[in-house]
Amino acid sequence: MAVGLTYATSQTLVRMRLAAFRHALKDQNRLSWIGTGAFAGVVLAGGTIWVAAKGDLDVLVVALAVWMLGWIVGPMFAGGGDETLKPEYFSMLPLTPRTLSAGLLTAALAGVAPIISLLALLSLVVLGTQLSVAATLIALPAVVLQLLCFVLASRLAVAVYGVLLQVRSGAVLAAIVNAFILAFTAQGWALIVAFVSTDVQGTMASGARVAPSGWGLVAVEAAGRGDWLRVLLALAGLAVLAVVMFVGWSALLVRRTTASRTGRKPRRLLTATGPRDAAAAKEIRSWTRDLLYGHRAVFAISYGLFFCLMPLAIGWKGMLPWAGPAALVMAGSMASNLYGSDGTALWTTLMTPGSAGPDVRARQRAFLLVFGPPTLLITLLLTWWSGSSSAWPLVLSVLPALLGGAAGLVVACSVFAAVPTTDAHKRSGNPLNSGENESETMGIVWVMLILVSLTAGPALGAALAWSWWGVAVGVASGVLAWWYLGRLAAVRLDQRGPELLTLLRHGRSTTEQAKKAAVLDQLPRWRRTLANYCLGFGAIPLFPQAVVPAVFILTNNTDTKSWFLALHLEPQWHWPVIIAMAVLGLSMYTYGGLTYLNAKKKVAASST
């Protein structure tokens, strides 16, 4: 009876999941994101199979570890993963936790990501065919168990992360861990070089074989040489791990769907005497009391620290002065949807006459108070620690420019390009999931990373050209950006506040969706895909391959070459390569932006 109910539940949830996926494909924007991700995944899966065909087992086991790490970490940076079917939807149904968990797990396997991971895991079968018939047969259950562990590890990680975000200390811990993982993807090379002396690949491969992601490969290898005890231990280990993760996930789902969330009595009432002070106090308390706000603040600062401290592992202090600016860039991108995070609570502001200006300035003041002091302290201490006298005018010029630029951009972006999210009082047990517009939210975050970085351009150029005069330029540009962008946001909120509230309450109207679809219909699919690639990957040649090595060369920090192409070449080729990369990055952004701008103009012209 129980087995039949579980099967019927799983079948129903799979049909629901596939129906939702077919509906998502009707949205051209989401279709583009899905297609881009699927293409990249297939390419990576093909590379994994190619490594297996070559018989390079050390590289293969490390690649499988990266796949499993992507399953665990990826959802934390993509709004909690795909939760089309939320557990809360089924809390009133007479289903046991195990039945519901089994159904949700089965539905989770019916997606693009599991199929691509299955393609990558077929590398075990390719490896088995090179060893023996027995190894090929063992590879089949190993692939199934390994894929099951991938998906369960992802679900369990998101569930644990959601529990941590329910309490302040957990939100802080989760932010620090998240920041370390993201920084490691960019700067982990330093830790690897430091702690692995000569045999980098061999040592990483040994560690990857011990990790659960390598147990399937261990079973296939052991079957190839006839070590059946090791085969049994590896496969049994995967099966037991899957069961343990399934039981743990089921328990957390029960907690998520049954835990009551009661309000708390305010610890201290607002004592402001005017609208400006009241709005500022309210915003400060949002950053200190809303766990998601606090999580993002800690994440931004921790990321800046980890990103610039990791090279210390190899004794390189050149990145230390830039921890504060890096934290500000990340903070600006994480706070790019302030009004969208408010949701329908915006009506309390709109119902108060003349509140648009004070509210916008209050959000800017709160941003400055939350991120200004810590980033300034970090910059002063780490620049002093680095011992680089040439870095002082650079970082002290860039810091005020970024601080003012970010404070202006966060309010302007959140008013002009707000993305509807789930209201705070309606958040599910997975705080990472903020609604149905995750791809749009992530797009705004990536754009803000670029825009906030660009606000430091005049100050950095002035500091490189005139040294300490760059500080004055940085302060002036920061103040100008803070004032002008804040004024634009206040005027927009005052004039179009009701439309913004409607957007946050009901989502985009049918007319807006039709206009958006019309813009996309103006473009051939190949051109739209190319424009998306240009906008998505233009930052790679522009920043890490042009801006960063240019700063390193100008500050005489060329010892650590990392993945900066120009620094691996002869000195006479440094600047030509940097200029070429900068032109390439700017050209990619120009092409992508003009493609959509021209399509939008054609739609506007045809409608008139």
Side-chain angles (χ1 to χ4, degrees):
M1 181 66 179
V3 175
L5 180 60
T6 301
Y7 175 77
T9 303
S10 301
Q11 193 177 36
T12 301
L13 293 180
V14 168
R15 288 202 300 267
M16 294 174 64
R17 174 70 181 85
L18 294 178
F21 181 71
R22 287 194 299 270
H23 179 72
L25 294 180
K26 297 178 181 178
D27 186 336
Q28 293 296 324
N29 187 38
R30 295 185 66 182
L31 177 61
S32 178
W33 278 97
I34 293 172
T36 301
F39 175 76
V42 169
V43 170
L44 294 175
T48 306
I49 294 175
W50 177 71
V51 169
K54 287 180 58 181
D56 196 340
L57 300 186
D58 286 350
V59 176
L60 177 59
V61 72
V62 172
L64 293 177
V66 172
W67 277 97
M68 189 167 190
L69 183 63
W71 271 96
I72 296 173
V73 178
M76 299 181 186
F77 298 101
D82 182 8
E83 280 208 337
T84 304
L85 305 178
K86 297 181 181 179
E88 290 85 356
Y89 294 162
F90 313 100
S91 59
M92 300 300 292
L93 297 178
L95 298 175
T96 63
R98 299 290 183 271
T99 300
L100 178 59
S101 301
L104 292 173
L105 176 61
T106 307
L109 292 170
V112 176
I115 293 175
I116 293 175
S117 296
L118 179 62
L119 290 176
L121 289 172
L122 288 179
S123 59
L124 298 180
V125 178
V126 174
L127 175 63
T129 58
Q130 298 175 351
L131 299 178
S132 65
V133 175
T136 305
L137 295 176
I138 291 297
L140 298 177
V143 166
V144 175
L145 290 172
Q146 200 76 70
L147 178 62
L148 194 61
C149 286
F150 281 6
V151 178
L152 280 169
S154 177
R155 296 296 175 179
L156 183 61
V158 170
V160 171
Y161 197 80
V163 172
L164 291 177
L165 286 182
Q166 299 297 328
V167 294
R168 193 175 307 279
S169 58
V172 171
L173 177 61
I176 294 174
V177 173
N178 228 2
F180 177 83
I181 294 173
L182 184 61
F184 184 81
T185 60
Q187 298 284 58
W189 58 269
L191 300 181
I192 295 173
V193 171
F195 293 105
V196 181
S197 54
T198 54
D199 187 12
V200 177
Q201 181 174 304
T203 303
M204 292 180 64
S206 299
R209 280 185 170 85
V210 176
S213 59
W215 293 354
L217 185 141
V218 169
V220 175
E221 279 185 310
R225 60 177 182 268
D227 189 351
W228 297 108
L229 177 60
R230 188 177 290 271
V231 171
L232 180 61
L233 290 175
L235 294 181
L238 285 174
V240 171
L241 179 64
V243 171
V244 170
M245 289 193 295
F246 178 77
V247 172
W249 180 46
S250 299
L252 291 175
L253 284 184
V254 173
R255 182 186 185 278
R256 171 175 171 176
T257 55
T258 59
S260 60
R261 300 175 178 87
T262 58
R264 295 183 180 180
K265 183 179 179 181
R267 290 169 292 185
R268 184 166 55 86
L269 298 177
L270 291 176
T271 58
T273 57
R276 295 183 181 275
D277 293 339
K282 184 260 294 183
E283 285 304 312
I284 288 292
R285 294 187 183 203
S286 295
W287 282 101
T288 57
R289 294 186 180 180
D290 189 311
L291 296 182
L292 279 182
Y293 272 64
H295 168 81
R296 291 164 181 166
V298 174
F299 171 82
I301 295 174
S302 300
Y303 175 80
L305 286 171
F306 286 132
F307 184 82
C308 297
L309 286 174
M310 283 184 181
L312 282 178
I314 57 173
W316 183 43
K317 297 182 178 181
M319 290 293 293
L320 290 179
W322 301 98
L328 279 177
V329 172
M330 184 59 68
S333 66
M334 298 300 290
S336 58
N337 196 30
L338 288 177
Y339 282 102
S341 300
D342 279 4
T344 55
L346 178 63
W347 76 272
T348 59
T349 300
L350 299 181
M351 293 298 292
T352 305
S355 62
D359 188 74
V360 167
R361 294 303 183 191
R363 293 175 188 268
Q364 291 183 294
R365 288 167 61 187
F367 184 89
L368 294 175
L369 289 173
V370 170
F371 294 104
T375 53
L376 177 60
L377 180 63
I378 290 170
T379 300
L380 294 177
L381 290 178
L382 295 187
T383 305
W384 169 78
W385 185 13
S386 70
S388 175
S389 58
S390 60
W392 282 106
L394 297 178
V395 294
L396 292 182
S397 301
V398 165
L399 193 68
L402 286 175
L403 189 59
L409 283 170
V410 293
V411 291
C413 180
S414 60
V415 171
F416 282 89
V419 180
T421 61
T422 304
D423 280 1
H425 67 285
K426 293 183 179 179
R427 290 173 187 164
S428 68
N430 176 13
L432 291 172
N433 191 285
S434 57
E436 300 178 354
N437 302 295
E438 296 297 343
S439 60
E440 191 174 352
T441 302
M442 291 304 299
I444 294 296
V445 169
W446 284 109
V447 171
M448 280 291 287
L449 283 173
I450 299 168
L451 293 179
V452 175
S453 301
L454 290 178
T455 60
L460 180 61
L464 292 172
W466 307 308
S467 187
W468 286 100
W469 284 105
V471 177
V473 176
V475 172
S477 65
V479 171
L480 179 62
W482 170 85
W483 173 79
Y484 181 70
L485 294 174
R487 182 174 179 273
L488 284 181
V491 172
R492 174 79 172 189
L493 183 61
D494 189 52
Q495 295 177 347
R496 305 294 295 273
E499 289 87 343
L500 177 59
L501 178 60
T502 303
L503 170 66
L504 299 181
R505 183 177 181 181
H506 301 292
R508 304 201 181 278
S509 66
T510 305
T511 304
E512 290 176 321
Q513 294 177 2
K515 289 182 178 179
K516 185 177 180 181
V519 171
L520 296 176
D521 291 340
Q522 289 287 330
L523 302 172
R525 179 165 295 182
W526 68 268
R527 190 170 183 182
R528 184 168 64 242
T529 302
L530 180 60
N532 288 340
Y533 273 110
C534 288
L535 293 174
F537 298 103
I540 294 178
L542 181 58
F543 290 101
Q545 299 299 336
V547 176
V548 175
V551 173
F552 284 175
I553 292 174
L554 292 172
T555 56
N556 297 319
N557 292 324
T558 57
D559 295 334
T560 303
K561 304 181 186 302
S562 184
W563 67 304
F564 307 126
L565 176 62
L567 301 184
H568 286 277
L569 303 176
E570 297 297 327
Q572 64 268 23
W573 291 103
H574 285 175
W575 285 109
V577 171
I578 288 173
I579 294 173
M581 287 295 178
V583 171
L584 176 61
L586 292 173
S587 300
M588 292 173 69
Y589 279 124
T590 302
Y591 175 81
L594 289 178
T595 297
Y596 283 105
L597 182 62
N598 292 333
K600 189 174 181 179
K601 288 181 178 179
K602 289 182 180 179
V603 172
S606 61
S607 62
T608 56

